[in-house]
Structure formats: structure tokens, C-alpha cells
Amino acid sequence: MAAEAVAYNSINYLVNEPDGMDLLENLIADEEIFVANVIMKVIKFCPSAFDRELTKSELIKWVNRGSRGLWTQIGGTLEHVVLWWSSSPLACRPAACAKYLREWLSLLQPDEAPEPILSTLKGLGETLTVHVTSTIWDKQFRLAVVASSLPADYPFEESEFCGKNVNVEGTICGKVWSELLYQLVQLSNTCDIGTIANELPLVEQIPVLHRLDHSIHSMRIWAANKARSLCTDWNMMMFFKVVHSDIGLCLEQLQYIRVPELSADDPLEVQVQVCVALREKLVSEIKENIIKLKATCTECIDVLAAVCRTTSLASLTLCFPYFKHWQTEVLQERSNEYVAYFFNQIYLPVIQATKDIEILKLTLKIICEAWLDHIYMKKTKFSSAGALNLLKDFDGVAEWINACEALDERLRETLSHHEVLRMCEGVGKLLLRKPEETISILPSPSKAGKKSDETADEKAPLPPEMFVPNQKRWLELRARDRRAVNLNCLCLCAGMDVY
């Protein structure tokens, strides 16, 4: 009969098996019964433990107080049990496991677990924040440091926290940095569930903010140093991936951080006051580092401008024709081949790496100004034919731009009419003028007469010479005419004065 009763109870339990919520409520009820039995034994064997005989309502209060104390003790040791004391401790598994457990605990709703189990599980999620932060940050930051020491285009992959199939326009190292910042921002945001200091896990959030501040600073230093190194090697493709894509991706992750100001209407405990002050300090440092990270893009472009000038001058030293080439009397039909070579070496990598019109205009201006500086520093003397040939070379820049397949029609139109090309044209025309010849800012009568009535009221364009600063210095580079030189020599031989 006993066996039949056990079998009947087992079948009845399987048929009428309670759901998860009922099981948890039964667990809480069993614990409350256990606490009530303990209190009843205390009343029976040691009645002096209470001032007077307890009423039913007072007994219920003592049971509730005992249950809360019991679950508080459970919450205090639950993290250690989950991480270290179980047969398969979570701390010995990949760091992502604890992260996923914490995220799942943060998603628990009030209807999924009764109190005080829900509060205990929520508390477990908060206490796991420190472990998750330290393990994820240690691994990801170490990964970022290792990737920072490798070449920018090294095929380095890490798929535990980011998918392999994720396409990122930047470098692999920039992807690792952005993933690190993303993880820290998400951890920080889950701690900011309100603005009341007493209700927030400030102790758990402070390590997250500290690591976030350090990570932003480290990423900024890496980006600046890597950009400078790539610019020195004139690796424009990777340079703009770091400056535009990597920094932009990290700033995109950082824009989602919340960190609202905390309200302190009620007097706070000393520990809470210290945590609030420390949090405020870390938040201000994070915001300051974000501002510096935004300014890093401008700093890198300044480095690009300086290196572009130096690289242009170095390339011109190798490819610019010798002095005799500019003192010839032979006119060339098209621009010299060094023009295409020079722009293929310096300007084409920039065009292939970015379509930012402002940067393209800046680099074109620097390249052409370096070209003119090279001519003047070498004190190259130009004959009339040499000056005309130089004008042909300057015209070849616009031809090269219009023939460049890497540029779209809009960019070609803008760059081929850049103001610096007018300055180059002005230098060429200055070399064709006599030192005492004045430059009129008005168009010549012949050209003015050719204009139609429709365009007569339009503002006449300035001559290209007016775009050249310090015009007199370029007149010094005009070679003296050979006939005049021969005549002066004859006059000197005859003892005549030469003026």
C-alpha cells in the first residue's frame, strides 16, 4: 500500500506539475515556515528573548524580517557560489558567459520571479558588474594593445565579443577599440537606471567609468601616433581609415553614454557622497577626453599638411628638370612627363583614400605651393620659352585632374578650377614679363571687346598675376635674353658703358 501511495503521489505531481512561479513561491513559503519554526522554538525554550508575548501580527513581522535577512545573506554569498564555489565555476569559463548571465538578470521582469528572489537576482546582476568589467576590459584592452603594435592592415581577428562577418570601414585595430568602448558604454548605461543616488549601483559603476576614461585616452594616443606614422610613410589609405573611420566609429559608440546628473535632495550617507563625487569627477574626465578625441582629427590633418609639403619637396628634388631645361628656346607641345609622375606619387594616393573635398583642396594647395617654393629656392632661371614650358606644365595639372578616374565629375570641376592653379599660372606669366612692366587688374581691351552683351555686366576676373604674393621676387628668375647678353659683351670689349 505504501508503494502504491508513493506511485500515486508521483503520478499526481507529474500531471499537476506546478509552473516556475509556483515553484519559487513554494520555495519562499518553505523558507518562511522554517523561519517561523525557529521563532516558535525560541518562544518555547527561551521566552525571555522577547519582551512580551507576541501577537499574530508581530509574529508575521518577525517572520518577514527573518526571511529578508536570510535572502540578504544568500545574495551576499550567491556571487561567490556562482563564480567560484560551484562544481563548474563561472569564472573558469569564457568572460562572455558572465556577461551574458548579467544581461539576462538585468532583463528580469517583476512577473517572472516573486520577491525577495527577484531582488536577490537583481543584486546578483549588479555585483557581477565588477567581475564582468574586469574580465572583459582586461581581455579587450590587452587585445587592443597587441593590435596597436601590429601594422594597421594586419589581418587580426577576434570574434568572442564581435562577429567575424561584421564589415567595418576602418582598421582591424580600430574595430577592437570601438568594441571595447561599446562594451564599457553598455555596462555604464545599465548602471544608470535613474537619477537617485541611493538607488544606483555606484560602487559597481565607478570601475566601469574609470576604465572607460583610460580607454578613451589610450585610443586617442594610439590614433594620433598611428596616423603620424602612416602619414610619414605616405600610406594615405590607412591614414584616412584611422583618422576618419576609426575615430569616427569610436565617437559613435561614445555618443550613447548617458551618465545623467544625480539628484541629492535627501542627505546622503558618507559612502554614497564619496561615490557621487568620484563619479562626477570621472564623468568630467570622460567628457574632456571625448572632446580631445574629436580634436585629434584636426591635429592629424595638420600633420598631413606638414608631411605633404615635405614629401612634395622631396619628390620634386628627384623629378624636377635641371636648370638647362628651362633655359632652352624649344617650346614643348604638352606638359612635361614629370608633372604626371609627381601628382601620381603625391596627390593620387590622397584622392584614392578620401573624397572629402576640403582635404582634397587643401592637399592640392600644399602640393602646388611646394612646387612653386621648390622653383624659387633653386633660383631656377627661365628663358621666354622656358617660362612658356612651365606654363604648359601648370596647365597639365588641370588636365591630370580631369583625366583622373578616381574623381567624380563634381570633384573634377571643383579641383580643376582651384585658386592655387591660378596662382601657378600667374607665376608663369610673371616670368614672361619685364621687370618694369606694370600689371593691370583690368582685362585687356581686345578681350573685353569679345565679351557679349549678356556677360558685360558680370565682374571681370582678375588676371592670374594678381593671385601671386610678392610678385617682384619672381621677376628675378627671368633669364636674360641671349642677344642682349652678346651685345653687352661686344660693348664691354669695345670699352663702352653698358646700361
Side-chain angles (χ1 to χ4, degrees):
M1 294 295 293
E4 292 178 359
V6 171
Y8 175 79
N9 292 333
S10 300
I11 295 173
N12 186 44
Y13 179 82
L14 291 174
V15 173
N16 302 306
E17 182 180 1
D19 57 10
M21 182 67 75
D22 292 336
L23 287 175
L24 295 177
E25 290 179 350
N26 293 338
L27 175 62
I28 295 174
D30 291 340
E31 297 296 338
E32 291 177 348
I33 293 173
F34 171 77
V35 173
N37 290 332
V38 172
I39 294 176
M40 294 303 295
K41 288 183 179 181
V42 171
I43 294 174
K44 179 179 180 181
F45 295 106
C46 186
S48 60
F50 300 96
D51 297 336
R52 53 188 174 82
E53 185 177 353
L54 298 179
T55 63
K56 183 178 180 180
S57 60
E58 291 175 341
L59 180 61
I60 293 175
K61 289 181 180 180
W62 278 103
V63 170
N64 292 335
R65 184 183 301 179
S67 298
R68 286 196 301 269
L70 180 63
W71 283 104
T72 300
Q73 293 297 324
I74 293 175
T77 58
L78 188 57
E79 178 192 11
H80 301 281
V81 174
V82 171
L83 290 177
W84 308 105
W85 296 349
S86 62
S87 58
S88 180
L90 191 62
C92 298
R93 298 186 179 187
C97 295
K99 170 179 173 289
Y100 297 145
L101 175 60
R102 178 187 174 277
E103 292 177 353
W104 178 78
L105 291 174
S106 65
L107 297 176
L108 287 177
Q109 300 300 321
D111 58 346
E112 296 181 4
E115 290 290 349
I117 294 180
L118 180 63
S119 299
T120 302
L121 294 178
K122 290 286 187 180
L124 174 62
E126 293 177 359
T127 54
L128 283 176
T129 302
V130 178
H131 174 77
V132 171
T133 301
S134 59
T135 53
I136 287 182
W137 186 82
D138 288 347
K139 181 170 182 133
Q140 285 287 90
F141 189 78
R142 183 173 64 251
L143 207 60
V145 171
V146 172
S148 301
S149 62
L150 299 173
D153 54 349
Y154 188 83
F156 179 79
E157 285 288 348
E158 168 59 31
S159 60
E160 183 174 349
F161 299 103
C162 54
K164 291 184 177 181
N165 298 325
V166 177
N167 294 324
V168 180
E169 295 182 357
T171 63
I172 299 297
C173 185
K175 173 184 173 182
V176 175
W177 279 113
S178 66
E179 286 293 332
L180 172 60
L181 297 179
Y182 170 78
Q183 298 289 345
L184 293 175
V185 168
Q186 293 299 315
L187 287 172
S188 176
N189 287 343
T190 55
C191 295
D192 282 321
I193 53 179
T195 58
I196 302 176
N198 289 323
E199 299 178 357
L200 297 180
L202 297 179
V203 176
E204 289 78 13
Q205 187 184 24
I206 286 174
V208 179
L209 296 177
H210 181 75
R211 286 167 171 79
L212 180 60
D213 176 46
H214 183 71
S215 300
I216 298 172
H217 174 76
S218 301
M219 191 276 162
R220 179 175 63 85
I221 298 300
W222 167 80
N225 292 337
K226 180 61 70 173
R228 186 178 293 106
S229 175
L230 293 170
C231 193
T232 303
D233 297 336
W234 206 244
N235 188 347
M236 291 293 99
M237 189 64 69
M238 302 307 298
F239 171 82
F240 283 106
K241 281 187 176 183
V242 172
V243 174
H244 285 169
S245 300
D246 290 347
I247 295 180
L249 188 61
C250 290
L251 289 174
E252 182 181 354
Q253 305 295 348
L254 293 171
Q255 71 179 356
Y256 297 109
I257 188 170
R258 290 198 291 263
V259 289
E261 294 186 5
L262 303 182
S263 58
D265 298 334
D266 300 330
L268 303 176
E269 298 178 0
V270 176
Q271 181 182 4
V272 179
Q273 290 179 358
V274 172
C275 291
V276 170
L278 183 55
R279 177 186 181 275
E280 183 179 356
K281 175 64 175 175
L282 289 172
V283 169
S284 64
E285 292 179 355
I286 288 173
K287 292 180 179 179
E288 182 179 353
N289 271 319
I290 292 176
I291 294 174
K292 290 181 179 180
L293 182 59
K294 293 179 180 178
T296 303
C297 294
T298 304
E299 296 173 2
C300 292
I301 298 303
D302 293 339
V303 172
L304 171 65
V307 175
C308 180
R309 171 178 166 78
T310 304
T311 307
S312 299
L313 291 173
S315 298
L316 287 167
T317 303
L318 299 176
C319 68
F320 194 73
Y322 292 106
F323 294 96
K324 293 182 179 180
H325 174 82
W326 305 109
Q327 297 171 4
T328 183
E329 297 298 331
V330 179
L331 293 175
Q332 59 191 33
E333 296 181 359
R334 61 185 64 184
S335 61
N336 197 295
E337 60 183 8
Y338 83 90
V339 176
Y341 172 81
F342 174 52
F343 276 81
N344 285 334
Q345 292 292 318
I346 305 299
Y347 199 38
L348 184 59
V350 181
I351 293 175
Q352 293 174 338
T354 181
K355 295 299 181 285
D356 190 325
I357 184 60
E358 296 300 326
I359 293 179
L360 293 177
K361 290 167 65 176
L362 173 65
T363 49
L364 178 60
K365 181 175 182 291
I366 293 172
I367 290 171
C368 292
E369 288 178 348
W371 191 0
L372 297 178
D373 290 342
H374 176 80
I375 294 173
Y376 185 77
M377 287 188 297
K378 292 296 182 181
K379 299 296 182 182
T380 306
K381 299 293 184 177
F382 292 86
S383 63
S384 297
L388 290 172
N389 291 337
L390 184 63
L391 271 174
K392 285 281 187 180
D393 294 343
F394 289 150
D395 292 339
V397 177
E399 296 174 0
W400 183 90
I401 292 174
N402 289 323
C404 182
E405 297 180 355
L407 293 171
D408 57 34
E409 190 64 29
R410 179 182 61 86
L411 294 177
R412 291 177 189 172
E413 180 68 20
T414 303
L415 295 175
S416 61
H417 293 85
H418 196 286
E419 184 178 297
V420 73
L421 299 182
R422 295 276 288 165
M423 184 173 69
C424 293
E425 182 185 358
V427 169
K429 291 190 175 182
L430 281 173
L431 295 175
L432 293 172
R433 291 182 178 272
K434 298 178 181 180
E436 67 278 1
E437 186 176 355
T438 60
I439 302 173
S440 174
I441 63 173
L442 298 175
S444 61
S446 59
K447 291 184 178 180
K450 294 180 182 179
K451 290 187 176 182
S452 61
D453 296 337
E454 297 178 356
T455 60
D457 56 343
E458 294 182 1
K459 186 177 180 180
L462 291 174
E465 294 91 330
M466 301 305 297
F467 290 86
V468 182
N470 196 1
Q471 300 171 1
K472 291 184 178 180
R473 71 171 188 170
W474 290 101
L475 298 176
E476 302 172 359
L477 302 183
R478 178 69 188 274
R480 301 180 66 181
D481 188 71
R482 290 185 178 181
R483 294 180 180 178
V485 172
N486 294 335
L487 180 60
N488 290 339
C489 291
L490 292 174
C491 293
L492 289 173
C493 293
M496 299 173 60
D497 294 333
V498 178
Y499 298 96

